[in-house]
Amino acid sequence: MGNYADEINRRRTFAIISHPDAGKTTLTEKFLLYGGAINLAGSVKGKATARHAVSDWMQIEKERGISVTSSVLQFSYDGFCINILDTPGHQDFSEDTYRTLMAADSAVMVIDASKGVEAQTRKLFKVCVMRHIPIFTFINKMDRDANDTFELLDDIEKELGIATCPVNWPIGSGKNFKGVYERESRCVITYADTEKGTKEGHATRIPFAETENLAAQIGEDFLSQLTDEIELLDGASASFDLEQVRAGNLTPVFFGSALTNFGVEIFLQHFLKMTTTPLPRRADIGLVDPVEHDFSAFVFKIQANMNKAHRDRIAFMRICSGRFDVNEEVRHVQGGRVMRLSQPQQIMADERKILSEAYAGDIIGVFDPGIFSIGDTVCMPGEQFAYEGIPTFAPEHFARVRQVDTMKRKQFVKGIMQIAQEGAIQIFQEFNTGMEEIIVGVVGVLQFDVLKYRLENEYNVEIKLENLPYEYIRWIENKDIDLDKLTGTSDMKKIKDLKNNPLLLFINQWSIGMTVDRNEGLILSEFGRT
Ligand code: G4P
């Protein structure tokens, strides 16, 4: 064990997930404000600038004013070193959004109090559940009229299938938002709309037992309603159990208003107490302990062409154990070579900082001359092991790709294979043919445009995309299945991936159920393995 256990143990690495517009960016800004990373929220990640500043590398992002990639932010608060993995906040998110969750030890789910659980949250949540990572819920926008609190909790439990445990409880909402009741301390923290961009709050803390004082602050009616609700809550909700939280079975719930900066610090304080230090990771040698083991990391994302002139790529790695020292050589396990990682950097919102060291829990980006693939392991030269692969997430949009100029076959295949290797798209073939018919699958439709743009600009190949009607893909888990004997529905299509694994495409969920019913023992999976 190195003498850097303290450095590792003070790290907290989490991803923020939400449906667009729930307030993820605003909440992140407020976190940074408390961390003292910046003085004024908005100066680093002000919406208009952030979307260009974070990843200004691709024309398509500029044209559309959206960020295709995600970034990592680091700040300190109360002795903790916190890494926030931000995920693209627009509708057309990509597989990268999912992969980012593979690098986090916990997730913060932001929900709009007037909307409840929305589509994108549901999708991202599934990945968190698959990994059994702790999930913390921040119900935002309490300064606007909100849904009934019990209904909001019910919605989370029913929609996402996770038990909820409110850490605090809102008193009113919208114009009548009075504050929150903190269950552990049995205190009411009154709402104060702080000036935008400052952390100076005017909120006061009043013990629930001080009835008169409280009634004067929040009014008799709200006090009486709160008293009833607390009684109901204490009787009905799941009791707080840290082990259940850490196993991802119970989500602590917080209420607040990121915009007016209320409830954010309360959240941060509780969250940091409940969340874990960097977690051990599963590898082919067993669980790798972040503190006991020397440096190791895995690649979870590859970002291409940040500098078009050099056609370079950046491989993003999550450090899983030990300390990374820029002067030491490391082994790239899958590439079979010992090397020095070049230009290791921390990707901040609007700047890149060259690093000399980093610790388990941190995310680094390293220059990639085209040797890394998603899921690759890097460790000390004297070691040889591999982390569990990152699953392939089910694409939801499919298109047949054809090159316009058939003479450019070689560039076309090379380009599309490279882009697939980076993980931006997945490629499939018709079940009974070879590479002449390529089917592309993507998680977000924007990736189709990215593919077209990149093939034209980097490989000089023009393509035509013909959209296919399928929305669901399933990997076949049974190794011994006879595909010719499989009885599917009329809309089902058999395809294969580049490793010849058979897959099924469906237009709707109903057909999936029918196919499973008609073929005894057939096991279909939503996730593939790299
Ligand atoms: P996102 O990253 O999840 O997509 O959401 P973002 O933080 O960008 O917030 C979306 C909109 O919701 C923004 O307004 C933001 O100001 C607003 N918002 C965020 N938190 C709260 C909150 O607690 N209360 C209220 N009332 N609004 C909130 P916008 O008008 O779309 O953008 P902007 O012009 O204000 O930047």
Side-chain angles (χ1 to χ4, degrees):
M1 178 168 80
N3 56 0
Y4 36 78
D6 287 351
E7 276 296 341
I8 296 174
N9 287 330
R10 73 188 192 95
R11 275 167 165 73
R12 298 289 183 278
T13 304
F14 67 94
I16 298 206
I17 63 174
S18 78
H19 192 81
D21 276 346
K24 186 167 59 75
T25 311
T26 314
L27 187 65
T28 308
E29 279 176 10
K30 298 298 152 84
F31 285 155
L32 294 182
L33 184 67
Y34 284 107
I38 47 168
N39 294 322
L40 277 179
S43 63
V44 167
K45 250 187 135 255
K47 202 163 175 178
T49 49
R51 293 200 164 151
H52 294 301
V54 173
S55 49
D56 210 2
W57 58 281
M58 198 187 255
Q59 197 60 28
I60 204 163
E61 290 187 329
K62 283 193 212 148
E63 281 164 11
R64 300 224 182 165
I66 48 170
S67 156
V68 179
T69 49
S70 35
S71 71
V72 184
L73 302 156
Q74 191 179 56
F75 70 98
S76 7
Y77 175 83
D78 199 20
F80 292 96
C81 175
I82 300 159
N83 294 304
I84 306 186
L85 296 157
D86 188 19
T87 47
H90 56 87
Q91 212 88 34
D92 286 327
F93 71 136
S94 71
E95 258 197 282
D96 269 348
T97 318
Y98 288 143
R99 289 195 194 106
T100 298
L101 289 171
M102 306 306 287
D105 296 312
S106 63
V108 171
M109 173 165 79
V110 186
I111 288 178
D112 183 331
S114 66
K115 303 223 168 93
V117 176
E118 294 175 87
Q120 192 156 308
T121 316
R122 213 172 288 134
K123 286 189 204 169
L124 293 167
F125 181 84
K126 269 195 198 166
V127 182
C128 298
V129 169
M130 180 186 78
R131 291 201 51 221
H132 303 289
I133 59 172
I135 298 156
F136 298 84
T137 306
F138 186 85
I139 299 192
N140 191 32
K141 303 199 186 182
M142 289 308 297
D143 59 301
R144 293 229 185 114
D145 288 341
N147 292 358
D148 175 77
T149 315
F150 285 107
E151 274 172 28
L152 280 167
L153 298 179
D154 224 37
D155 188 38
I156 296 173
E157 302 209 346
K158 286 212 183 92
E159 284 275 342
L160 306 177
I162 187 170
T164 58
C165 176
V167 174
N168 55 34
W169 189 260
I171 307 164
S173 71
K175 283 197 185 70
N176 286 319
F177 185 44
K178 302 291 176 191
V180 292
Y181 165 74
E182 195 175 48
R183 295 176 73 197
E184 189 189 46
S185 65
R186 296 188 69 78
C187 278
V188 166
I189 300 150
T190 58
Y191 174 60
D193 176 353
T194 56
E195 276 173 54
K196 275 189 195 176
T198 71
K199 58 178 172 180
E200 257 52 71
H202 307 286
T204 46
R205 199 173 252 277
I206 307 167
F208 187 66
E210 288 180 18
T211 323
E212 264 178 47
N213 189 3
L214 207 53
Q217 288 289 331
I218 66 172
E220 292 282 354
D221 289 352
F222 279 110
L223 179 58
S224 138
Q225 188 187 339
L226 177 65
T227 312
D228 291 349
E229 285 180 342
I230 292 173
E231 209 180 286
L232 206 65
L233 183 65
D234 288 346
S237 79
S239 57
F240 184 78
D241 178 342
L242 193 58
E243 259 178 49
Q244 289 296 315
V245 172
R246 294 205 168 154
N249 298 327
L250 178 69
T251 178
V253 182
F254 300 79
F255 295 83
S257 158
L259 186 68
T260 60
N261 206 7
F262 181 80
V264 177
E265 193 166 26
I266 303 171
F267 171 80
L268 204 51
Q269 285 164 347
H270 284 277
F271 168 73
L272 290 170
K273 266 197 276 171
M274 294 177 192
T275 187
T276 60
T277 54
L279 293 171
R281 294 258 161 178
R282 198 165 294 285
D284 55 6
I285 50 165
L287 276 182
V288 175
D289 187 89
V291 176
E292 302 288 327
H293 212 100
D294 284 334
F295 167 76
S296 71
F298 74 90
V299 178
F300 68 94
K301 181 173 127 175
I302 291 173
Q303 190 161 297
N305 275 44
M306 292 179 117
N307 180 344
K308 194 172 170 239
H310 298 106
R311 209 185 251 198
D312 56 1
R313 317 203 297 193
I314 293 223
F316 286 79
M317 299 180 184
R318 147 88 196 215
I319 303 181
C320 300
S321 64
R323 173 176 175 269
F324 167 69
D325 182 338
V326 68
N327 298 312
E328 281 180 17
E329 290 198 311
V330 298
R331 174 184 299 279
H332 171 213
V333 176
Q334 284 76 3
R337 56 173 152 163
V338 170
M339 56 192 282
R340 201 160 278 171
L341 294 178
S342 70
Q343 300 169 25
Q345 47 195 290
Q346 198 180 25
I347 315 288
M348 298 288 282
D350 64 346
E351 58 176 313
R352 283 166 221 295
K353 204 168 73 183
I354 299 290
L355 296 166
S356 56
E357 58 167 23
Y359 296 90
D362 290 342
I363 311 295
I364 54 169
V366 305
F367 172 74
D368 172 20
I371 58 170
F372 291 111
S373 293
I374 284 167
D376 281 4
T377 300
V378 174
C379 59
M380 293 307 280
E383 290 195 290
Q384 178 88 34
F385 68 91
Y387 280 106
E388 247 185 8
I390 291 186
T392 308
F393 300 100
E396 290 172 20
H397 307 277
F398 299 87
R400 206 184 293 281
V401 195
R402 288 204 182 90
Q403 80 230 61
V404 173
D405 180 353
T406 46
M407 300 298 284
K408 292 189 175 162
R409 185 76 196 156
K410 245 170 107 178
Q411 289 105 298
F412 169 66
V413 173
K414 184 176 167 214
I416 205 160
M417 294 294 268
Q418 279 190 354
I419 295 168
Q421 189 202 352
E422 287 159 16
I425 53 163
Q426 289 179 44
I427 47 184
F428 307 100
Q429 297 159 53
E430 293 281 348
F431 194 65
N432 293 319
T433 62
M435 283 297 276
E436 54 271 19
E437 281 283 347
I438 294 183
I439 294 170
V440 173
V442 295
V443 169
V445 284
L446 181 72
Q447 295 307 113
F448 283 143
D449 294 353
V450 172
L451 173 68
K452 208 163 169 347
Y453 177 89
R454 290 192 55 192
L455 280 174
E456 273 171 30
N457 282 271
E458 294 167 33
Y459 299 92
N460 200 18
V461 177
E462 209 185 319
I463 56 161
K464 273 217 165 78
L465 289 159
E466 178 204 332
N467 288 327
L468 296 171
Y470 308 100
E471 285 183 21
Y472 300 89
I473 188 167
R474 291 295 179 266
W475 278 263
I476 299 173
E477 296 280 304
N478 317 51
K479 291 274 170 280
D480 49 359
I481 203 98
D482 182 351
L483 260 304
D484 295 325
K485 296 222 175 94
L486 199 79
T487 344
T489 48
S490 57
D491 66 341
M492 187 187 84
K493 184 176 178 63
K494 294 178 205 167
I495 55 168
K496 60 183 180 186
D497 65 15
L498 294 181
K499 290 178 187 152
N500 279 329
N501 294 316
L503 298 120
L504 302 175
L505 292 181
F506 298 96
I507 287 177
N508 56 42
Q509 212 136 22
W510 178 86
S511 306
I512 303 175
M514 277 310 278
T515 305
V516 171
D517 286 349
R518 284 179 185 167
N519 299 275
E520 212 189 315
L522 178 70
I523 304 169
L524 299 179
S525 158
E526 253 184 86
F527 303 103
R529 284 262 157 220
T530 50

